Amino acid sequence: MTGSEGLSARSAAALSDPLLPLADDSLVLSHRLGEWAGHAPVLEEELALANIALDLLGQARALYAELGEEDELAFLREERAFRNCQLAEQPGGDFAHTMVRQLYFSAWQELLYAQLAELGQPLAAKAVKESEYHRDHAEHWTLRLGDGTEESHARAQRAADSLWRFTGELFEPIAGPGPVGEVDWDALRTGWTERITRTFERATLTVPESPQEGAWKAGAGRQGIHTEPFGRMLAEMQHLHRSHPGASW
Amino acid sequence: MSGTDWPLWEVFVRSRRGLSHTHAGSLHAPDAEMALRNARDLYTRRSEGVSVWVVPSHEITASSPDEKDPFFGPAADKPYRHPTFYEVPEGVRNL
């Protein structure tokens, strides 16, 4: 694994832990949602997005703290050492794009965490209620955008289509010891596809037929290979910590 | 899209079982379901509530400030209407 210079031994050991990809998913999507602060279409929605972002940040922090040093794992890793799925790192785009991204992600996370909770992962048991709400929120917006005006329908469909190729990666098994290694990924894919299909039907959207795998088949983000916008996001997220190491307020 | 296009909703939160819903504030939302969700995010995020009502603000009929005197003035000098002359039975809470 590259990009891990400057990490303590404990954090470096976390780099291959099967929980790290899940922590990275939550951190990265949390940061993406935070980008809406001050830009959301209405105040109420801005708070809702911030709430979701904070839930995800909380999940990431709990996992990082269990695996190693939180700040090191969040701020001192290079792009290649991040194992989040590429879906999470996609820029927000317009509001429909953000909501469909959330729907794809939260529907998946809810099903994954439900499985993990049953397999005895304690943090998942708490997080599953959060992801259920996130999914519900995204679902309600998808229905309103898809079955709304001509403009909102077109934007929602465009988002559904353009993000589709990042969803295949969600079902690439994450290998390793513990509950994550025991997840039934095929059941996850089936459950997720049913859920998305049902929501899209109600929202009068078309389930994309294009391949779910992007240019880099086989779990690209999980292997540390990311899309171009991720580097810029990481620079913004990490620059303060790196410019002022150990600073506090 | 802007918030001013959306109707205003009044939010009532019940903080725990046995208490009545109390007015918490208001918000904009496109419809009742979204209003409920916005209310959850705005007014119960620090676990203030176990139940939320949302009511379209335009459905509320309010007394007018101009009618304040005829409405509320006559009650001002009738202290015997206050329940302070009764002893509260033991075990009664939330009165």
Side-chain angles (χ1 to χ4, degrees), chain A residues 18-40:
Chain A
L19 285 173
L20 189 70
L22 307 189
D24 289 348
D25 286 347
S26 293
L27 176 71
V28 169
L29 186 53
S30 168
H31 189 86
R32 281 298 188 201
L33 287 169
E35 291 172 349
W36 276 100
H39 302 280

Side-chain angles (χ1 to χ4, degrees), chain A residues 190-210:
Chain A
T190 311
W192 183 89
T193 308
E194 276 172 15
R195 177 115 231 170
I196 297 297
T197 306
R198 206 162 59 229
T199 306
F200 277 9
E201 272 170 10
R202 288 177 61 206
T204 71
L205 295 168
T206 310
V207 180
E209 285 175 3
S210 51

Side-chain angles (χ1 to χ4, degrees), chain A residues 95 99 120 201 218 221 230 242 248:
Chain A
F95 185 69
M99 274 305 135
E201 272 170 10
F230 184 55
R242 288 175 181 261
S248 62

Side-chain angles (χ1 to χ4, degrees), chain A residues 44 51 133 136 140-141 144, chain B residues 28 31 34 37 41 45:
Chain A
E44 285 81 354
N51 258 345
Y133 186 82
D136 179 77
H140 273 278
W141 268 116
R144 280 158 181 77
Chain B
H28 288 98
D31 54 51
M34 291 311 284
R37 281 162 180 77
D41 285 330
R45 56 200 294 265

